[in-house]
Amino acid sequence: MKSFLLMTGSSPLIILTSHNSIENSILLDKLLAKGIDKFIAYEIPYDQARQRYGEHFKIVANDLHETDDLRVLDYNGDRAFKMFRFDELGDAHFHEPLPTGPAGA
């Protein structure tokens, strides 16, 4: 199981997923279905996320199944952003959709 801080156009959020990579096509499709197509992702150490979110983490993580492989742990952008220091995060991973038309269109 992995946890990621996503910096999105609307707000930071923290997700849990059973996928090993933030670039997994199934995970990207699920994020897109939630309106998230462009983001910067940082992996969060799973044990740190579990410790800091406590009981809430247990509730969310216990709801994660193979057929339901994405859970939002925190959608409060202010809290999600402040929960972890930058030096606790993994490397930044940038994702954006491929351009579909002429530049500026």
Side-chain angles (χ1 to χ4, degrees):
M1 181 121 40
K2 300 275 188 172
S3 53
F4 293 95
L5 169 65
L6 300 182
M7 306 298 282
T8 69
S10 60
S11 178
L13 62 125
I14 297 176
I15 64 166
L16 300 177
T17 182
S18 58
H19 294 289
N20 286 328
S21 170
I22 194 69
E23 282 295 326
N24 178 284
S25 62
I26 296 169
L27 178 57
L28 290 174
D29 287 345
K30 291 187 180 220
L31 290 170
L32 183 59
K34 294 182 178 297
I36 301 170
D37 65 345
K38 183 176 181 176
F39 58 84
I40 304 169
Y42 300 89
E43 187 169 352
I44 297 169
Y46 185 80
D47 289 336
Q48 281 184 338
R50 185 180 62 206
Q51 180 184 27
R52 296 209 181 141
Y53 280 95
E55 190 63 31
H56 177 69
F57 185 96
K58 290 178 189 175
I59 292 167
V60 173
N62 286 338
D63 244 359
L64 197 62
H65 305 290
E66 284 185 35
T67 57
D68 190 16
D69 48 12
L70 169 65
R71 287 285 179 195
V72 176
L73 178 62
D74 196 345
Y75 56 86
N76 178 322
D78 186 53
R79 180 180 52 221
F81 189 70
K82 292 178 180 177
M83 187 66 72
F84 300 92
R85 293 186 329 265
F86 289 127
D87 64 354
E88 295 175 311
L89 303 174
D91 293 335
H93 177 84
F94 301 89
H95 178 83
E96 62 185 327
L98 295 173
T100 57

